PDB file of all heavy atoms in Angstrom:
ATOM      1  N   LYS A  92     -18.407  73.957  31.479  1.00 98.00           N
ATOM      2  CA  LYS A  92     -17.256  74.426  32.321  1.00 98.00           C
ATOM      3  C   LYS A  92     -15.871  74.300  31.743  1.00 98.00           C
ATOM      4  O   LYS A  92     -15.820  73.533  30.694  1.00 98.00           O
ATOM      5  CB  LYS A  92     -17.219  73.630  33.680  1.00 98.00           C
ATOM      6  CG  LYS A  92     -16.880  72.211  33.596  1.00 98.00           C
ATOM      7  CD  LYS A  92     -16.769  71.456  34.858  1.00 98.00           C
ATOM      8  CE  LYS A  92     -18.044  71.282  35.561  1.00 98.00           C
ATOM      9  NZ  LYS A  92     -17.955  70.444  36.844  1.00 98.00           N
ATOM     10  N   ASP A  96     -11.182  73.223  34.782  1.00 98.00           N
ATOM     11  CA  ASP A  96     -12.258  72.891  35.831  1.00 98.00           C
ATOM     12  C   ASP A  96     -12.785  71.567  35.595  1.00 98.00           C
ATOM     13  O   ASP A  96     -12.917  70.590  36.603  1.00 98.00           O
ATOM     14  CB  ASP A  96     -13.278  73.942  35.679  1.00 98.00           C
ATOM     15  CG  ASP A  96     -14.209  73.940  36.994  1.00 98.00           C
ATOM     16  OD1 ASP A  96     -13.700  73.574  38.000  1.00 98.00           O
ATOM     17  OD2 ASP A  96     -15.381  74.340  36.867  1.00 98.00           O
ATOM     18  N   ASN A 149     -24.273  69.072  37.173  1.00 98.00           N
ATOM     19  CA  ASN A 149     -23.058  69.891  37.382  1.00 98.00           C
ATOM     20  C   ASN A 149     -21.888  69.260  37.581  1.00 98.00           C
ATOM     21  O   ASN A 149     -20.796  69.871  37.487  1.00 98.00           O
ATOM     22  CB  ASN A 149     -23.364  71.003  38.588  1.00 98.00           C
ATOM     23  CG  ASN A 149     -23.486  70.376  39.911  1.00 98.00           C
ATOM     24  OD1 ASN A 149     -24.019  69.315  40.000  1.00 98.00           O
ATOM     25  ND2 ASN A 149     -22.973  71.018  40.900  1.00 98.00           N
ATOM     26  N   PHE A 150     -21.864  67.993  37.947  1.00 98.00           N
ATOM     27  CA  PHE A 150     -20.585  67.204  37.933  1.00 98.00           C
ATOM     28  C   PHE A 150     -20.905  65.865  37.349  1.00 98.00           C
ATOM     29  O   PHE A 150     -21.068  64.960  38.061  1.00 98.00           O
ATOM     30  CB  PHE A 150     -20.015  67.086  39.420  1.00 98.00           C
ATOM     31  CG  PHE A 150     -19.432  68.342  39.960  1.00 98.00           C
ATOM     32  CD1 PHE A 150     -20.092  69.076  40.979  1.00 98.00           C
ATOM     33  CD2 PHE A 150     -18.170  68.685  39.640  1.00 98.00           C
ATOM     34  CE1 PHE A 150     -19.520  70.169  41.508  1.00 98.00           C
ATOM     35  CE2 PHE A 150     -17.604  69.872  40.155  1.00 98.00           C
ATOM     36  CZ  PHE A 150     -18.264  70.530  41.142  1.00 98.00           C
ATOM     37  N   ALA A 249     -28.083  74.077  47.986  1.00 98.00           N
ATOM     38  CA  ALA A 249     -27.199  74.777  48.888  1.00 98.00           C
ATOM     39  C   ALA A 249     -27.485  76.326  48.755  1.00 98.00           C
ATOM     40  O   ALA A 249     -27.822  76.896  47.764  1.00 98.00           O
ATOM     41  CB  ALA A 249     -25.794  74.389  48.630  1.00 98.00           C
ATOM     42  N   ASN A 251     -24.413  78.816  50.254  1.00 98.00           N
ATOM     43  CA  ASN A 251     -23.247  78.783  51.012  1.00 98.00           C
ATOM     44  C   ASN A 251     -22.679  80.209  51.254  1.00 98.00           C
ATOM     45  O   ASN A 251     -22.669  80.948  50.371  1.00 98.00           O
ATOM     46  CB  ASN A 251     -22.064  78.017  50.216  1.00 98.00           C
ATOM     47  CG  ASN A 251     -22.563  76.484  49.894  1.00 98.00           C
ATOM     48  OD1 ASN A 251     -23.207  75.809  50.859  1.00 98.00           O
ATOM     49  ND2 ASN A 251     -22.380  76.125  48.758  1.00 98.00           N
ATOM     50  N   ASN A 270     -13.007  83.092  43.287  1.00 98.00           N
ATOM     51  CA  ASN A 270     -12.859  81.760  42.887  1.00 98.00           C
ATOM     52  C   ASN A 270     -14.036  80.816  43.280  1.00 98.00           C
ATOM     53  O   ASN A 270     -14.529  80.110  42.411  1.00 98.00           O
ATOM     54  CB  ASN A 270     -11.653  81.264  43.409  1.00 98.00           C
ATOM     55  CG  ASN A 270     -10.308  81.856  43.001  1.00 98.00           C
ATOM     56  OD1 ASN A 270     -10.488  82.536  42.002  1.00 98.00           O
ATOM     57  ND2 ASN A 270      -9.291  81.720  43.794  1.00 98.00           N
ATOM     58  N   ALA A 271     -14.646  81.119  44.481  1.00 98.00           N
ATOM     59  CA  ALA A 271     -15.790  80.221  44.983  1.00 98.00           C
ATOM     60  C   ALA A 271     -17.068  80.790  44.395  1.00 98.00           C
ATOM     61  O   ALA A 271     -17.934  79.956  44.359  1.00 98.00           O
ATOM     62  CB  ALA A 271     -15.642  80.217  46.486  1.00 98.00           C
ATOM     63  N   GLY A 272     -17.084  81.917  44.053  1.00 98.00           N
ATOM     64  CA  GLY A 272     -18.384  82.528  43.578  1.00 98.00           C
ATOM     65  C   GLY A 272     -18.585  82.239  42.051  1.00 98.00           C
ATOM     66  O   GLY A 272     -19.744  81.970  41.539  1.00 98.00           O
ATOM     67  N   PHE A 273     -17.490  82.423  41.283  1.00 98.00           N
ATOM     68  CA  PHE A 273     -17.623  82.261  39.820  1.00 98.00           C
ATOM     69  C   PHE A 273     -17.119  81.120  39.174  1.00 98.00           C
ATOM     70  O   PHE A 273     -17.298  80.870  37.986  1.00 98.00           O
ATOM     71  CB  PHE A 273     -17.021  83.529  39.251  1.00 98.00           C
ATOM     72  CG  PHE A 273     -17.704  84.842  39.809  1.00 98.00           C
ATOM     73  CD1 PHE A 273     -16.908  85.957  40.387  1.00 98.00           C
ATOM     74  CD2 PHE A 273     -19.136  84.917  40.021  1.00 98.00           C
ATOM     75  CE1 PHE A 273     -17.465  87.023  40.924  1.00 98.00           C
ATOM     76  CE2 PHE A 273     -19.652  86.068  40.571  1.00 98.00           C
ATOM     77  CZ  PHE A 273     -18.849  87.242  40.943  1.00 98.00           C
ATOM     78  N   GLY A 274     -16.288  80.239  39.894  1.00 97.00           N
ATOM     79  CA  GLY A 274     -15.730  78.961  39.482  1.00 97.00           C
ATOM     80  C   GLY A 274     -17.024  78.176  38.886  1.00 97.00           C
ATOM     81  O   GLY A 274     -18.000  78.157  39.573  1.00 97.00           O
ATOM     82  N   SER A 275     -16.743  77.509  37.728  1.00 98.00           N
ATOM     83  CA  SER A 275     -17.771  76.830  37.033  1.00 98.00           C
ATOM     84  C   SER A 275     -19.142  77.492  36.922  1.00 98.00           C
ATOM     85  O   SER A 275     -20.272  77.006  36.971  1.00 98.00           O
ATOM     86  CB  SER A 275     -18.150  75.477  37.973  1.00 98.00           C
ATOM     87  OG  SER A 275     -18.807  74.549  37.256  1.00 98.00           O
ATOM     88  N   ALA A 276     -18.928  78.840  36.772  1.00 98.00           N
ATOM     89  CA  ALA A 276     -20.068  79.759  36.579  1.00 98.00           C
ATOM     90  C   ALA A 276     -21.059  79.598  37.743  1.00 98.00           C
ATOM     91  O   ALA A 276     -22.373  79.829  37.521  1.00 98.00           O
ATOM     92  CB  ALA A 276     -20.865  79.528  35.206  1.00 98.00           C
ATOM     93  N   GLY A 277     -20.718  79.351  38.833  1.00 98.00           N
ATOM     94  CA  GLY A 277     -21.490  79.250  40.039  1.00 98.00           C
ATOM     95  C   GLY A 277     -22.301  78.008  40.114  1.00 98.00           C
ATOM     96  O   GLY A 277     -23.204  77.874  40.967  1.00 98.00           O
ATOM     97  N   GLU A 278     -22.123  77.159  39.182  1.00 98.00           N
ATOM     98  CA  GLU A 278     -22.925  75.857  39.167  1.00 98.00           C
ATOM     99  C   GLU A 278     -22.261  74.749  39.863  1.00 98.00           C
ATOM    100  O   GLU A 278     -21.855  73.657  39.482  1.00 98.00           O
ATOM    101  CB  GLU A 278     -23.099  75.430  37.692  1.00 98.00           C
ATOM    102  CG  GLU A 278     -24.005  76.205  36.875  1.00 98.00           C
ATOM    103  CD  GLU A 278     -24.062  75.938  35.391  1.00 98.00           C
ATOM    104  OE1 GLU A 278     -23.076  75.428  34.843  1.00 98.00           O
ATOM    105  OE2 GLU A 278     -25.100  76.142  34.761  1.00 98.00           O
ATOM    106  N   ARG A 279     -21.925  75.036  41.210  1.00 98.00           N
ATOM    107  CA  ARG A 279     -21.375  74.066  42.146  1.00 98.00           C
ATOM    108  C   ARG A 279     -22.203  74.144  43.431  1.00 98.00           C
ATOM    109  O   ARG A 279     -22.546  75.314  43.848  1.00 98.00           O
ATOM    110  CB  ARG A 279     -20.008  74.520  42.535  1.00 98.00           C
ATOM    111  CG  ARG A 279     -18.947  74.245  41.421  1.00 98.00           C
ATOM    112  CD  ARG A 279     -17.514  74.728  42.050  1.00 98.00           C
ATOM    113  NE  ARG A 279     -16.503  74.653  41.133  1.00 98.00           N
ATOM    114  CZ  ARG A 279     -15.413  75.497  41.071  1.00 98.00           C
ATOM    115  NH1 ARG A 279     -15.406  76.463  42.118  1.00 98.00           N
ATOM    116  NH2 ARG A 279     -14.533  75.428  40.165  1.00 98.00           N
ATOM    117  N   CYS A 280     -22.470  72.961  43.971  1.00 97.00           N
ATOM    118  CA  CYS A 280     -23.233  72.967  45.241  1.00 97.00           C
ATOM    119  C   CYS A 280     -22.398  73.465  46.399  1.00 97.00           C
ATOM    120  O   CYS A 280     -22.922  73.773  47.475  1.00 97.00           O
ATOM    121  CB  CYS A 280     -23.601  71.547  45.568  1.00 97.00           C
ATOM    122  SG  CYS A 280     -22.224  70.502  46.014  1.00 97.00           S
ATOM    123  N   MET A 281     -21.122  73.665  46.172  1.00 98.00           N
ATOM    124  CA  MET A 281     -20.205  74.310  47.176  1.00 98.00           C
ATOM    125  C   MET A 281     -19.844  75.799  46.785  1.00 98.00           C
ATOM    126  O   MET A 281     -18.978  76.324  47.379  1.00 98.00           O
ATOM    127  CB  MET A 281     -18.938  73.444  47.357  1.00 98.00           C
ATOM    128  CG  MET A 281     -19.186  72.105  47.987  1.00 98.00           C
ATOM    129  SD  MET A 281     -19.793  72.232  49.602  1.00 98.00           S
ATOM    130  CE  MET A 281     -18.200  72.294  50.563  1.00 98.00           C
ATOM    131  N   ALA A 282     -20.444  76.324  45.718  1.00 98.00           N
ATOM    132  CA  ALA A 282     -20.082  77.712  45.352  1.00 98.00           C
ATOM    133  C   ALA A 282     -20.556  78.666  46.540  1.00 98.00           C
ATOM    134  O   ALA A 282     -21.418  78.473  47.340  1.00 98.00           O
ATOM    135  CB  ALA A 282     -21.005  78.070  44.207  1.00 98.00           C
ATOM    136  N   ILE A 283     -19.764  79.704  46.738  1.00 98.00           N
ATOM    137  CA  ILE A 283     -20.151  80.702  47.689  1.00 98.00           C
ATOM    138  C   ILE A 283     -21.125  81.670  46.966  1.00 98.00           C
ATOM    139  O   ILE A 283     -20.804  82.282  45.845  1.00 98.00           O
ATOM    140  CB  ILE A 283     -18.928  81.516  48.194  1.00 98.00           C
ATOM    141  CG1 ILE A 283     -18.049  80.632  48.996  1.00 98.00           C
ATOM    142  CG2 ILE A 283     -19.383  82.846  48.904  1.00 98.00           C
ATOM    143  CD1 ILE A 283     -18.557  80.083  50.327  1.00 98.00           C
ATOM    144  N   GLU A 380     -31.528  79.387  45.858  1.00 98.00           N
ATOM    145  CA  GLU A 380     -30.167  78.929  45.257  1.00 98.00           C
ATOM    146  C   GLU A 380     -30.246  79.252  43.757  1.00 98.00           C
ATOM    147  O   GLU A 380     -31.115  78.686  43.013  1.00 98.00           O
ATOM    148  CB  GLU A 380     -30.259  77.411  45.328  1.00 98.00           C
ATOM    149  CG  GLU A 380     -28.863  76.755  44.735  1.00 98.00           C
ATOM    150  CD  GLU A 380     -28.801  75.330  44.769  1.00 98.00           C
ATOM    151  OE1 GLU A 380     -29.827  74.668  44.537  1.00 98.00           O
ATOM    152  OE2 GLU A 380     -27.672  74.933  44.972  1.00 98.00           O
ATOM    153  N   PHE A 382     -27.754  79.191  41.434  1.00 98.00           N
ATOM    154  CA  PHE A 382     -26.825  78.167  40.702  1.00 98.00           C
ATOM    155  C   PHE A 382     -26.324  78.929  39.513  1.00 98.00           C
ATOM    156  O   PHE A 382     -26.328  78.427  38.435  1.00 98.00           O
ATOM    157  CB  PHE A 382     -27.686  77.074  40.378  1.00 98.00           C
ATOM    158  CG  PHE A 382     -26.847  75.829  40.663  1.00 98.00           C
ATOM    159  CD1 PHE A 382     -26.288  75.570  41.835  1.00 98.00           C
ATOM    160  CD2 PHE A 382     -26.696  74.834  39.548  1.00 98.00           C
ATOM    161  CE1 PHE A 382     -25.485  74.375  42.099  1.00 98.00           C
ATOM    162  CE2 PHE A 382     -26.006  73.690  39.780  1.00 98.00           C
ATOM    163  CZ  PHE A 382     -25.282  73.444  41.040  1.00 98.00           C
ATOM    164  N   GLY A 383     -25.839  80.066  39.646  1.00 98.00           N
ATOM    165  CA  GLY A 383     -25.184  80.891  38.502  1.00 98.00           C
ATOM    166  C   GLY A 383     -24.127  81.860  39.167  1.00 98.00           C
ATOM    167  O   GLY A 383     -23.942  81.893  40.378  1.00 98.00           O
ATOM    168  N   ASN A 408     -24.987  73.223  53.484  1.00 98.00           N
ATOM    169  CA  ASN A 408     -23.958  72.377  52.688  1.00 98.00           C
ATOM    170  C   ASN A 408     -22.530  72.800  53.198  1.00 98.00           C
ATOM    171  O   ASN A 408     -21.844  72.052  53.881  1.00 98.00           O
ATOM    172  CB  ASN A 408     -24.234  72.505  51.304  1.00 98.00           C
ATOM    173  CG  ASN A 408     -23.887  71.248  50.535  1.00 98.00           C
ATOM    174  OD1 ASN A 408     -24.271  70.108  51.028  1.00 98.00           O
ATOM    175  ND2 ASN A 408     -23.285  71.281  49.394  1.00 98.00           N
ATOM    176  N   VAL A 438     -13.841  76.653  49.309  1.00 96.00           N
ATOM    177  CA  VAL A 438     -14.613  75.648  48.799  1.00 96.00           C
ATOM    178  C   VAL A 438     -14.079  74.307  49.473  1.00 96.00           C
ATOM    179  O   VAL A 438     -13.377  73.580  49.028  1.00 96.00           O
ATOM    180  CB  VAL A 438     -14.427  75.402  47.368  1.00 96.00           C
ATOM    181  CG1 VAL A 438     -15.407  74.341  46.734  1.00 96.00           C
ATOM    182  CG2 VAL A 438     -14.702  76.793  46.557  1.00 96.00           C
TER     183      VAL A 438
END
Side-chain angles (χ1 to χ4, degrees):
K92 65 179 73 174
D96 194 28
N149 67 320
F150 284 107
N251 304 314
N270 298 341
F273 304 132
S275 200
E278 291 174 323
R279 289 182 185 147
C280 68
M281 291 293 276
I283 293 291
E380 180 185 37
F382 225 53
N408 212 41
V438 185

